[in-house]
Amino acid sequence: MRRPELVLVLIGYGHVGRRVVTLLDQVADRLDFTYRIGGIATRHHGSALAPGGVDAARATALVGEGLSLDRLETAPRERDGAALIRQALETFAPEAADGRLVIVETTLLDVIAGEPATTHVRLALEGRAHVVTANKGPVAFAHHALERLAESVDRVFLFEGAVMDGIPLFNLVRETMPAVRVESFRGVVNTTCNYVIGAMEAGGERAEAVAEMQARGIAEADPALDLDGWDAAAKAAALANVLLDGRLTPRQVERQGITALTGREVREHLQQGRRVKLVAGGARDPRGGARAWVRVEALPAGDPLAGLQGVENAIYLTTDLLGEVGIVQRTGTLTQTAYAIVGDLARISQRLREL
Ligand SMILES: NC(=O)c1ccc[n+]([C@@H]2O[C@H](COP(=O)([O-])OP(=O)(O)OC[C@H]3O[C@@H](n4cnc5c(N)ncnc54)[C@H](OP(=O)(O)O)[C@@H]3O)[C@@H](O)[C@H]2O)c1
């Protein structure tokens, strides 16, 4: 069967967006689709739009050097992410009509309103493009509305990279657990916090560990989002909305961060056989909907979350038919996040091939 060609318009071209492009190139011969990068939008590094395809290698080099994509001399293009989406929907109208246009949203997480990412997703779906994102904002703020919109236009809204990078958590439940009801979840979902707490256990400095996570492109652009528990709260809201049919935003998640935690406290717990973790949890509310929380907990050694080291994450789901199901992520790098997007693109391709 012929491989469908997807046209990708990348809204955001930072750590994740650029790694998606290099990963696609790296695994091109293993994919059941081909692709063309139709456009790229950034906030401070210009934008590009080319019906025949943007030179992604040059785009990566330019942004990597802090230069503007405007140097690519592509078609006249809009500067703002939302405006570029509108323009791409016109430029690639035939591809949108036959389900081959995908907006890949990787702008910054905004935990106050989930914007502009939620608007980007909505505009794209309204124009009948599929959407793939690693941004937690849209699913944490507007999951049900966006799912309904996607269904109404026969397109998909996929967000596997929003939680636990490339580990197929949402897809696992959606694709392989028919009729199973998830009752609650509990996990360690913020890599930066887990790494920082581990470094403090070993006598290291919080600031140094944060700087290391920033250098590896793992911490949020504003690391306070990690340390204050906002990133974990956004993930808890996303998990509650998708798995527990919740209607939460990150602000409705009971939230604690690790900013007040001291190295001494962490090491005292360790000496007494406990490990401190930032734990995100959620449960169905008997009155309907769901509630979620992010708490600093000192876990006994026997707790499955207590053994997590460094950049490891894990989520345990309590289900009615399968009991407890645990998923552990041992490696958490940009490659895993980029893989989540590549995996979601493969699902869109699969859908096209089944038509
Ligand atoms: N890094 C990770 O390990 C990881 C893991 C899972 C999920 N995520 C999520 O993935 C997303 C991207 O993360 P990242 O590490 O790639 O962030 P990043 O390096 O800061 O890149 C963000 C990109 O978005 C662009 N941008 C911001 N606002 C925009 C707008 N209104 N219109 C168009 N472009 C806009 C930025 O442009 P300028 O650079 O020009 O400002 C930049 O290209 C975030 O939502 C993050 O939470 C990241």
Side-chain angles (χ1 to χ4, degrees):
M1 192 188 280
R2 221 167 142 249
R3 299 196 291 170
E5 187 198 47
L6 301 181
V7 173
L8 312 180
V9 174
L10 312 177
I11 307 300
Y13 204 52
H15 292 100
V16 177
R18 299 202 297 275
R19 185 69 187 104
V20 167
V21 166
T22 54
L23 185 61
L24 279 169
D25 189 39
Q26 188 183 325
V27 299
D29 59 353
R30 297 186 222 162
L31 298 172
D32 65 0
F33 61 92
T34 61
Y35 61 92
R36 179 168 26 123
I37 309 293
I40 303 177
T42 72
R43 195 173 39 166
H44 302 107
H45 295 84
S47 60
L49 188 80
V54 173
D55 179 346
R58 255 198 90 206
T60 298
L62 285 172
V63 174
E65 288 171 36
L67 299 173
S68 172
L69 296 175
D70 297 353
R71 294 181 174 221
L72 288 173
E73 291 171 12
T74 58
R77 69 269 154 200
E78 298 287 351
R79 303 200 154 267
D80 166 69
L84 193 94
I85 291 173
R86 288 195 189 92
Q87 197 179 14
L89 290 169
E90 276 177 29
T91 306
F92 299 108
E95 288 85 352
D98 61 17
R100 293 187 299 112
L101 179 63
V102 187
I103 303 295
V104 178
E105 219 289 347
T106 62
T107 64
L108 289 181
L109 170 65
D110 155 35
V111 285
I112 304 301
E115 292 292 357
T118 303
T119 297
H120 292 162
V121 175
R122 188 174 45 74
L123 284 174
L125 291 172
E126 281 171 355
R128 301 202 73 214
H130 298 285
V131 177
V132 170
T133 184
N135 192 323
K136 295 154 273 276
V139 63
F141 280 88
H143 170 250
H144 292 282
L146 295 172
E147 280 288 352
R148 271 199 311 274
L149 175 58
E151 265 170 43
S152 73
V153 293
D154 195 24
R155 295 292 178 264
V156 293
F157 163 47
L158 300 174
F159 42 80
E160 190 60 71
V163 180
M164 275 179 100
D165 304 320
I167 300 297
L169 168 67
F170 294 117
N171 286 329
L172 182 82
V173 175
R174 193 190 286 125
E175 304 288 331
T176 70
M177 297 190 188
V180 170
R181 184 177 154 101
V182 179
E183 301 291 357
S184 64
F185 66 86
R186 184 170 171 271
V188 168
V189 293
N190 183 276
T191 304
T192 298
C193 286
N194 202 50
Y195 188 82
V196 168
I197 296 172
M200 285 161 70
E201 282 180 333
E205 291 294 326
R206 180 201 319 260
E208 265 175 40
V210 172
E212 201 182 319
M213 286 290 96
Q214 283 179 303
R216 287 163 67 175
I218 291 176
E220 288 293 329
D222 173 5
L225 286 179
D226 294 303
L227 304 178
D228 291 342
W230 278 114
D231 173 79
K235 287 171 176 162
L239 289 164
N241 292 343
V242 179
L243 303 179
L244 308 176
D245 200 25
R247 297 289 186 281
L248 300 179
T249 72
R251 272 178 290 170
Q252 290 158 309
V253 173
E254 180 200 320
R255 177 180 54 84
Q256 225 185 338
I258 64 162
T259 324
L261 198 63
T262 64
R264 194 169 148 198
E265 237 176 295
V266 169
R267 288 189 291 277
E268 271 172 16
H269 280 299
L270 191 62
Q271 275 162 12
Q272 290 160 21
R274 292 185 295 268
R275 296 199 73 204
V276 174
K277 297 285 169 198
L278 187 68
V279 178
R284 286 185 191 266
D285 190 324
R287 293 162 298 180
R291 57 197 183 82
W293 55 87
V294 175
R295 295 177 192 144
V296 176
E297 294 182 21
L299 305 175
D303 189 301
L305 299 178
L308 298 173
Q309 306 285 0
V311 297
E312 293 173 351
N313 282 194
I315 292 186
Y316 286 80
L317 307 175
T318 307
T319 74
D320 60 346
L321 304 180
L322 293 174
E324 202 176 14
V325 177
I327 305 156
V328 180
Q329 175 181 25
R330 307 298 298 269
T331 316
T333 69
L334 275 176
T335 301
Q336 277 76 48
T337 307
Y339 173 74
I341 288 178
V342 173
D344 281 346
L345 292 174
R347 290 192 61 221
I348 292 171
S349 148
Q350 182 73 35
R351 204 174 175 270
L352 283 167
R353 287 157 68 92
E354 284 167 2
L355 286 178

